[in-house]
Amino acid sequence: MRELTSFEMQNVSGAGVFDFIGSVVVGSVTGITAFGLKWAMSGGSTGGLIGVGIVSAGVGLIVGAVVGLVDGAMYGAINGWDTTAAWFNQVVESQFDMGTSPVTA
Protein backbone atom coordinates (compact mmCIF):
# COMPACT_ATOMS: atom_id res chain seq x y z
CA MET A 1 0.00 0.00 0.00
CA ARG A 2 1.41 3.39 -0.94
CA GLU A 3 1.18 6.75 0.78
CA LEU A 4 -1.34 9.21 -0.58
CA THR A 5 -0.31 12.62 -1.87
CA SER A 6 -1.78 15.75 -0.34
CA PHE A 7 -4.17 16.14 -3.28
CA GLU A 8 -5.35 12.55 -3.00
CA MET A 9 -5.75 12.94 0.75
CA GLN A 10 -7.90 16.03 0.23
CA ASN A 11 -10.20 14.20 -2.18
CA VAL A 12 -10.45 11.09 -0.02
CA SER A 13 -11.14 13.02 3.18
CA GLY A 14 -14.02 14.98 1.68
CA ALA A 15 -12.30 18.36 1.98
CA GLY A 16 -13.51 19.19 -1.51
CA VAL A 17 -17.03 19.55 -0.12
CA PHE A 18 -15.99 22.34 2.23
CA ASP A 19 -13.96 23.92 -0.56
CA PHE A 20 -17.08 23.94 -2.75
CA ILE A 21 -19.38 25.28 -0.03
CA GLY A 22 -16.89 27.96 1.00
CA SER A 23 -16.33 29.13 -2.55
CA VAL A 24 -20.08 29.34 -3.21
CA VAL A 25 -20.66 31.37 -0.03
CA VAL A 26 -17.75 33.74 -0.65
CA GLY A 27 -18.76 34.06 -4.31
CA SER A 28 -22.33 34.91 -3.31
CA VAL A 29 -21.26 37.58 -0.84
CA THR A 30 -18.81 39.05 -3.34
CA GLY A 31 -21.45 39.06 -6.08
CA ILE A 32 -24.01 40.77 -3.85
CA THR A 33 -21.49 43.43 -2.88
CA ALA A 34 -20.02 44.06 -6.32
CA PHE A 35 -23.20 43.92 -8.38
CA GLY A 36 -25.42 45.64 -5.81
CA LEU A 37 -23.15 48.63 -5.39
CA LYS A 38 -22.38 49.01 -9.08
CA TRP A 39 -26.00 48.75 -10.12
CA ALA A 40 -27.05 51.18 -7.37
CA MET A 41 -24.46 53.73 -8.50
CA SER A 42 -25.49 53.25 -12.11
CA GLY A 43 -29.18 53.67 -11.30
CA GLY A 44 -28.56 56.69 -9.10
CA SER A 45 -26.53 58.44 -11.79
CA THR A 46 -29.34 58.20 -14.34
CA GLY A 47 -31.90 60.03 -12.24
CA GLY A 48 -34.75 57.72 -13.09
CA LEU A 49 -37.83 58.42 -15.16
CA ILE A 50 -39.08 61.31 -13.04
CA GLY A 51 -35.70 62.62 -11.96
CA VAL A 52 -35.58 60.85 -8.62
CA GLY A 53 -32.20 59.14 -8.49
CA ILE A 54 -32.76 57.54 -5.10
CA VAL A 55 -35.58 55.38 -6.46
CA SER A 56 -33.44 54.24 -9.38
CA ALA A 57 -30.53 53.59 -7.03
CA GLY A 58 -32.74 51.51 -4.73
CA VAL A 59 -34.09 49.44 -7.59
CA GLY A 60 -30.57 49.02 -8.94
CA LEU A 61 -29.33 47.90 -5.53
CA ILE A 62 -32.04 45.27 -5.12
CA VAL A 63 -31.89 43.92 -8.66
CA GLY A 64 -28.09 44.04 -8.70
CA ALA A 65 -27.88 42.19 -5.39
CA VAL A 66 -30.15 39.41 -6.63
CA VAL A 67 -28.24 39.07 -9.90
CA GLY A 68 -24.95 39.21 -7.99
CA LEU A 69 -26.09 36.50 -5.59
CA VAL A 70 -26.84 34.08 -8.41
CA ASP A 71 -23.83 35.06 -10.50
CA GLY A 72 -21.44 34.92 -7.53
CA ALA A 73 -22.71 31.51 -6.43
CA MET A 74 -22.22 30.15 -9.94
CA TYR A 75 -18.78 31.74 -10.17
CA GLY A 76 -17.72 30.15 -6.89
CA ALA A 77 -19.14 26.75 -7.81
CA ILE A 78 -17.42 26.69 -11.19
CA ASN A 79 -14.04 28.23 -10.37
CA GLY A 80 -13.33 26.90 -6.88
CA TRP A 81 -11.82 28.47 -3.82
CA ASP A 82 -8.56 29.93 -5.12
CA THR A 83 -10.07 31.91 -7.99
CA THR A 84 -13.08 33.03 -5.93
CA ALA A 85 -10.86 34.24 -3.07
CA ALA A 86 -8.77 36.22 -5.58
CA TRP A 87 -11.97 37.76 -7.00
CA PHE A 88 -13.12 38.67 -3.47
CA ASN A 89 -9.78 40.36 -2.77
CA GLN A 90 -9.97 42.28 -6.05
CA VAL A 91 -13.51 43.52 -5.33
CA VAL A 92 -12.65 44.62 -1.79
CA GLU A 93 -9.46 46.38 -2.90
CA SER A 94 -11.30 48.24 -5.67
CA GLN A 95 -13.99 49.39 -3.24
CA PHE A 96 -11.36 50.99 -1.03
CA ASP A 97 -9.94 52.82 -4.07
CA MET A 98 -11.79 56.14 -4.28
CA GLY A 99 -10.31 56.79 -7.71
CA THR A 100 -12.44 54.04 -9.26
CA SER A 101 -15.28 55.59 -11.21
CA PRO A 102 -18.81 54.23 -10.81
CA VAL A 103 -20.62 52.53 -13.67
CA THR A 104 -22.61 55.06 -15.66
CA ALA A 105 -25.51 54.44 -18.00
Side-chain angles (χ1 to χ4, degrees):
M1 181 177 247
R2 67 180 183 87
E3 290 186 22
L4 297 175
T5 65
S6 62
F7 297 112
E8 292 170 333
M9 188 66 80
Q10 181 181 7
N11 289 329
V12 171
S13 67
V17 173
F18 295 112
D19 180 58
F20 177 78
I21 292 171
S23 62
V24 167
V25 169
V26 169
S28 298
V29 170
T30 306
I32 288 171
T33 303
F35 283 67
L37 291 177
K38 285 185 180 184
W39 286 35
M41 287 186 287
S42 177
S45 67
T46 62
L49 295 174
I50 57 174
V52 183
I54 189 116
V55 174
S56 297
V59 170
L61 175 65
I62 293 168
V63 173
V66 171
V67 170
L69 173 72
V70 173
D71 189 41
M74 289 187 333
Y75 185 89
I78 292 170
N79 293 311
W81 176 256
D82 294 331
T83 308
T84 306
W87 181 45
F88 174 80
N89 290 335
Q90 180 184 8
V91 166
V92 170
E93 288 168 2
S94 69
Q95 287 179 1
F96 290 141
D97 183 14
M98 294 301 164
T100 306
S101 61
V103 178
T104 58

